[in-house]
Amino acid sequence: MANEEDDPIIQEIDVYLAKSLSEKLYMFQYPIRPASMTYDDVTHLSAKIKPKQQKVELEMAIDTLNPNYCRSKGEQIALNVDGTCTDETSTYSSKLMDRQTFCSSQAASNVSRYAAAIYRKGELHLTPLYGILQLRPSFSYLDKADAKHREREAANEAGDSSQDEAEDDIKQITVRFSRPETEQARQRRVQSYEFLQKRQAEEHWVHLHYYGLRDSRSEHERQYLLSQGHGMAENTELIKSPSEYLMMLMPPNVEEEKDKPVAPSNVLSMAQLRTLPLADQIKILMKNVKVMPFANLMSLLGSGIDSTAVLRCIQQVAMLVQGNWVVKSDVLYPKDTSSPHSGVPAEVLCRGRDFVMWKFTQDRWVVRKEVATVTKLCPEDVKDFLEHMSIARINKGWEFLLPYDEDFVKKHPDVVQRQNMLWMGIQAKLEKVYNLLKEHLTPKKQDGQSAHPLLVSGEQRVNIAKAKVKQNYGLLEKELQKKKAESKANDSPSKMDISNVCIKEEPLSDEEPMDASTYESMNNGMVNGIHSEENSMDSLNGHLPGGCMDRVAQELKAFVMKTFKKQFVLTLSELKRLFNLHLASLPPGHTLFSGISDKMLQDMVLDTGCKQILVPFPPQIHAVSPDELKVYALWEAGDIYDQHRQVLLKIFTKNYRVRRNIIQHQLSQECGEDLNKQDVDRVIKDCCVSHAGMWYLKGTVQS
């Protein structure tokens, strides 16, 4: 959408609805003819119609003087049809095939969504069509020729037969009376093809008179295609809401709704699904439903299905998570496919989705940010994984979609044990691929999967983290005091060796920072409570002393300047993602691996001449991550467009989405009337993206 060209409105046209011919107007589709000949130039000899069937027959003259016309063939056809005699019943009175009949068939069963349009004097007039008929050549004259041929053969055989044959013997005739017709037999007879053909043949033809294109009557009838009154009172159909007007133009197709399949696959109906083998039925159901209890699966498969066979098949396409079955990743992402969002191959997608499934075997809740950090996949792919098997809860995370199925676990302990062994193998593989830390692995339950998973709310997690941090600080303080005492006792002039001191960082909540006021006295000019040597180059818990910090700042500043000169506008979330990609491209041991906090990154952004744009997001957007709501922009890039970009960025401090005409008007007022379209396009392309006809700052439309 960022590269989508602007599509301004060039002209507005008034539309009128003409109803004078609304139930009389047909559209005929003729066969293809030579480009030099139009149907307006062809002489129409006769026309007739059957209104109930919407069936039309047209008889048109054939140009026998055309050099492409084969005269000998035309004479042969006329001779075969009419024979040598010429009378009133003859099809071709000129003894030459000089006319052709066209018979119609319905092109569409529902034509209420089609209309004929005529454009005149800046106005568009629409007339609903009553029917669309396709005209095809009729070869009924061949049937007449065959009938003539059979009559001649029958006459010849009758003339050659002997006149002296004896009369037939008298034979006894048995008279039988037909039984009364039942209602079922009558319905079959009424629905038969022969009966329908007979009913259609019984409808009488209504003869029509044809008027040419240039006839005065045609010109008079053509005026009815124009709306007789332009007042809105006479066009009440157009005084509707947009949704009602769209429904009038394109009403729902009743036949399609009736034929829509009910099966979850949206391809097969339940009746068609049950004609497939059991393994295919289960695969189709799981592929579309994705998460299902075993009891629901048995009810969909119908009665009489052996549960043992179902269990054997379900384990081939699904895994057991909290007593429910979740479709396997390789079923959703087959080999040699890729992600529609990021283009990542199916193997990487399966590995990431297996990690999400494995996390749900450990807990009812999963944090989206943790999944994205471990798997290194784009947010869209991670969101797809979570939506397959869970539901988002505000300020809590993603909760597994279905409750724990304790009944299935109790009834099938052998299946549960086999699935646990499979999950142990998957866990070992994930630990190796993603280098999972011991702290990230939840301890296994001693009593198996029979117990319900422990539910821990977000507030409880914050309190637990606070308690752990306070406990660790207390232990560190005691250890520090002990080492100070030992140092004084030994009267050693050397400073304390801090290489053996292990300081563990605990995760802190962004929303509710930890209260560490009681421990402020520990720092007192120290790094985490420990004095560091001035010339030491070692990193203390991510903080670099001395000149090494200057090198880190230079590297970080170079990255920020390069990134913003290319992107101009970035959210903090997108900047962190680009920084992680930059770290992945650096060689091992680079100075930037020493630890860059979010605060250091934001401070460096402000130091390089960027400014935070306070975009007034609507209330419903504040449910997303705070990093996605922090927007930074390069205020001065040193080119001729700095003033234009600053005006544009000020516009977005008043509204988070703006129309293009407002941007162009504001730029013209601030920067002068001589601003051309190329300059406006350049500035908008640097800072904005388009979505649904509106313009947003980069990154904010995803929120």
Side-chain angles (χ1 to χ4, degrees):
M1 291 184 180
N3 298 327
E4 183 180 355
E5 294 294 336
D6 188 44
D7 190 10
I9 298 175
I10 299 176
Q11 182 182 3
E12 293 186 359
I13 301 174
D14 294 332
V15 180
Y16 298 95
L17 184 64
K19 299 193 293 182
S20 300
L21 301 177
S22 59
E23 296 183 358
K24 304 173 184 178
L25 187 61
Y26 288 87
M27 185 179 74
F28 292 170
Q29 296 178 348
Y30 287 90
I32 300 175
R33 297 181 70 88
S36 60
M37 181 187 301
T38 63
Y39 281 99
D40 300 329
D41 302 327
V42 178
T43 303
H44 288 67
L45 301 177
S46 65
K48 54 184 179 179
I49 185 174
K50 288 185 177 182
K52 293 182 180 179
Q53 304 176 32
Q54 292 191 0
K55 186 176 182 181
V56 175
E57 276 193 7
L58 297 178
E59 191 176 67
M60 293 188 292
I62 298 177
D63 185 9
T64 57
L65 301 179
N66 192 289
N68 296 322
Y69 181 79
C70 182
R71 191 173 184 85
S72 61
K73 193 67 176 178
E75 293 176 351
Q76 183 64 40
I77 293 175
L79 180 62
N80 293 337
V81 174
D82 298 327
T84 56
C85 61
T86 303
D87 53 15
E88 295 179 355
T89 61
S90 299
T91 304
Y92 305 112
S93 57
S94 61
K95 296 185 179 181
L96 190 67
M97 184 182 176
D98 56 355
R99 65 190 67 194
Q100 189 176 14
T101 303
F102 289 86
C103 188
S104 70
S105 61
Q106 292 189 14
S109 58
N110 183 13
V111 297
S112 58
R113 63 182 65 185
Y114 299 101
I118 182 170
Y119 182 77
R120 177 174 293 184
K121 296 180 181 179
E123 298 174 350
L124 186 65
H125 299 260
L126 301 178
T127 302
L129 291 177
Y130 189 66
I132 301 177
L133 304 178
Q134 290 182 345
L135 294 173
R136 296 184 175 89
S138 175
F139 301 99
S140 57
Y141 59 87
L142 296 179
D143 298 335
K144 190 174 181 180
D146 290 341
K148 290 278 187 181
H149 180 67
R150 285 194 294 269
E151 289 178 1
R152 287 194 294 268
E153 288 184 348
N156 293 335
E157 291 178 359
D160 296 339
S161 62
S162 175
Q163 300 295 329
D164 299 332
E165 292 181 353
E167 294 182 358
D168 293 337
D169 297 335
I170 298 175
K171 295 181 180 180
Q172 183 179 2
I173 299 176
T174 303
V175 179
R176 295 183 180 179
F177 297 93
S178 61
R179 296 178 180 178
E181 187 179 27
T182 62
E183 181 63 24
Q184 187 177 5
R186 190 190 68 82
Q187 291 181 359
R188 285 199 301 267
R189 180 177 61 82
V190 169
Q191 295 175 359
S192 64
Y193 176 77
E194 182 180 358
F195 182 82
L196 294 176
Q197 288 293 105
K198 183 179 179 182
R199 280 186 55 185
Q200 292 181 1
E202 288 176 352
E203 185 179 357
H204 297 288
W205 288 101
V206 178
H207 290 274
L208 306 175
H209 184 74
Y210 174 80
Y211 294 94
L213 178 64
R214 299 171 182 83
D215 193 279
S216 59
R217 180 64 182 269
S218 298
E219 181 63 31
H220 175 73
E221 294 291 334
R222 197 177 297 114
Q223 295 301 319
Y224 288 116
L225 294 175
L226 301 175
S227 177
Q228 301 303 313
H230 291 183
M232 295 303 292
E234 299 185 14
N235 290 276
T236 55
E237 288 81 356
L238 301 181
I239 311 178
K240 302 285 185 180
S241 64
S243 58
E244 293 175 340
Y245 180 57
L246 183 61
M247 186 65 67
M248 291 173 59
L249 288 179
M250 299 186 64
N253 195 332
V254 180
E255 297 178 357
E256 292 180 359
E257 292 179 357
K258 291 181 179 178
D259 297 334
K260 187 174 181 180
V262 189
S265 63
N266 275 338
V267 176
L268 298 175
S269 65
M270 294 303 295
Q272 292 173 323
L273 186 69
R274 290 172 182 171
T275 60
L276 300 175
L278 181 60
D280 293 340
Q281 295 184 43
I282 295 175
K283 183 176 181 180
I284 292 174
L285 288 171
M286 291 305 304
K287 187 175 181 180
N288 289 275
V289 181
K290 296 180 178 60
V291 182
M292 189 185 303
F294 186 76
N296 290 13
L297 178 62
M298 291 297 298
S299 63
L300 288 174
L301 294 175
S303 60
I305 303 297
D306 185 14
S307 61
T308 305
V310 176
L311 281 173
R312 185 163 50 257
C313 295
I314 189 65
Q315 295 183 69
Q316 298 176 5
V317 296
M319 295 291 292
L320 192 66
V321 179
Q322 299 188 23
N324 301 280
W325 291 99
V326 181
V327 64
K328 288 184 176 180
S329 301
D330 55 359
V331 176
L332 292 180
Y333 305 108
K335 191 177 180 181
D336 299 330
T337 60
S338 59
S339 167
H341 305 293
S342 60
V344 174
E347 182 181 359
V348 180
L349 292 177
C350 292
R351 193 161 56 227
R353 189 174 180 274
D354 287 344
F355 176 78
V356 176
M357 293 171 62
W358 170 74
K359 289 292 291 182
F360 276 119
T361 63
Q362 309 295 310
D363 197 356
R364 286 283 301 177
W365 300 86
V366 168
V367 181
R368 177 179 174 181
K369 186 180 295 185
E370 179 185 356
V371 175
T373 303
V374 173
T375 60
K376 300 294 190 297
L377 293 173
C378 72
E380 290 80 8
D381 289 333
V382 175
K383 186 178 180 182
D384 286 349
F385 300 158
L386 294 170
E387 287 178 345
H388 289 171
M389 61 194 81
S390 59
I391 184 171
R393 304 292 187 190
I394 299 177
N395 296 330
K396 290 186 177 181
W398 291 76
E399 184 184 9
F400 192 73
L401 192 61
L402 299 177
Y404 190 86
D405 193 350
E406 191 171 358
D407 293 338
F408 178 84
V409 173
K410 290 181 179 179
K411 291 180 182 178
H412 305 280
D414 54 337
V415 176
V416 175
Q417 183 179 3
R418 189 181 303 112
Q419 289 292 311
N420 288 339
M421 294 177 64
L422 292 176
W423 278 120
M424 290 175 62
I426 294 176
Q427 177 181 340
K429 182 179 178 181
L430 294 174
E431 290 178 14
K432 183 177 180 181
V433 173
Y434 291 129
N435 296 323
L436 299 179
L437 301 176
K438 296 294 183 182
E439 292 81 1
H440 295 162
L441 303 177
T442 305
K444 298 179 182 179
K445 302 180 180 64
Q446 299 297 328
D447 55 349
Q449 296 291 338
S450 59
H452 292 280
L454 182 61
L455 300 179
V456 182
S457 65
E459 184 178 358
Q460 291 175 340
R461 291 186 180 185
V462 173
N463 294 333
I464 293 173
K466 284 183 178 181
K468 286 184 178 180
V469 171
K470 291 181 180 180
Q471 181 181 3
N472 290 338
Y473 267 99
L475 294 175
L476 287 173
E477 185 179 14
K478 290 180 181 179
E479 186 176 355
L480 178 63
Q481 297 297 335
K482 181 179 178 182
K483 291 198 174 186
K484 281 184 177 181
E486 293 177 356
S487 177
K488 290 181 180 180
N490 296 331
D491 292 328
S492 175
S494 61
K495 296 182 180 179
M496 180 178 56
D497 184 12
I498 63 173
S499 60
N500 296 325
V501 179
C502 179
I503 301 174
K504 179 181 176 183
E505 289 183 288
E506 293 295 334
L508 300 180
S509 174
D510 295 336
E511 291 79 7
E512 189 176 355
M514 182 191 68
D515 183 12
S517 59
T518 58
Y519 302 97
E520 290 179 355
S521 60
M522 292 177 57
N523 294 335
N524 193 20
M526 299 179 292
V527 180
N528 282 338
I530 302 175
H531 288 284
S532 60
E533 297 180 1
E534 293 182 359
N535 299 326
S536 175
M537 300 299 293
D538 296 333
S539 172
L540 300 179
N541 198 23
H543 299 273
L544 294 176
C548 186
M549 189 63 190
D550 295 337
R551 293 199 300 271
V552 173
Q554 292 176 2
E555 292 285 345
L556 185 59
K557 184 176 182 180
F559 163 76
V560 172
M561 286 295 297
K562 181 180 178 181
T563 303
F564 272 93
K565 283 189 176 182
K566 184 178 180 180
Q567 301 290 342
F568 291 98
V569 177
L570 287 170
T571 61
L572 179 59
S573 175
E574 180 66 13
L575 180 61
K576 290 165 64 177
R577 187 185 72 84
L578 294 176
F579 182 67
N580 290 332
L581 293 176
H582 178 65
L583 289 179
S585 64
L586 296 177
H590 197 275
T591 56
L592 286 180
F593 285 108
S594 56
I596 304 297
S597 65
D598 291 354
K599 187 177 184 304
M600 293 174 61
L601 188 60
Q602 295 179 68
D603 292 343
M604 184 57 69
V605 170
L606 298 177
D607 290 343
T608 54
C610 298
K611 288 188 178 181
Q612 184 175 359
I613 309 301
L614 302 178
V615 181
F617 292 102
Q620 62 268 23
I621 291 184
H622 289 281
V624 301
S625 171
D627 291 347
E628 298 181 18
L629 301 180
K630 294 182 179 180
V631 184
Y632 296 93
L634 183 60
W635 195 253
E636 293 183 357
D639 55 15
I640 60 175
Y641 298 104
D642 279 347
Q643 183 184 2
H644 305 157
R645 278 191 290 266
Q646 292 171 11
V647 173
L648 177 64
L649 295 174
K650 289 178 182 178
I651 295 175
F652 282 98
T653 60
K654 300 177 181 178
N655 199 343
Y656 83 108
R657 60 179 182 181
V658 186
R659 292 190 178 274
R660 179 188 170 88
N661 56 354
I662 297 178
I663 296 175
Q664 193 160 0
H665 177 71
Q666 192 71 20
L667 286 173
S668 300
Q669 282 188 342
E670 298 287 341
C671 304
E673 297 291 339
D674 57 344
L675 192 66
N676 54 32
K677 184 178 183 298
Q678 288 76 12
D679 294 340
V680 176
D681 292 342
R682 168 67 185 273
V683 174
I684 292 178
K685 185 178 180 181
D686 288 345
C687 304
C688 304
V689 292
S690 175
H691 178 68
M694 305 293 289
W695 289 92
Y696 302 77
L697 283 180
K698 287 182 178 179
T700 60
V701 69
Q702 297 178 356
S703 301

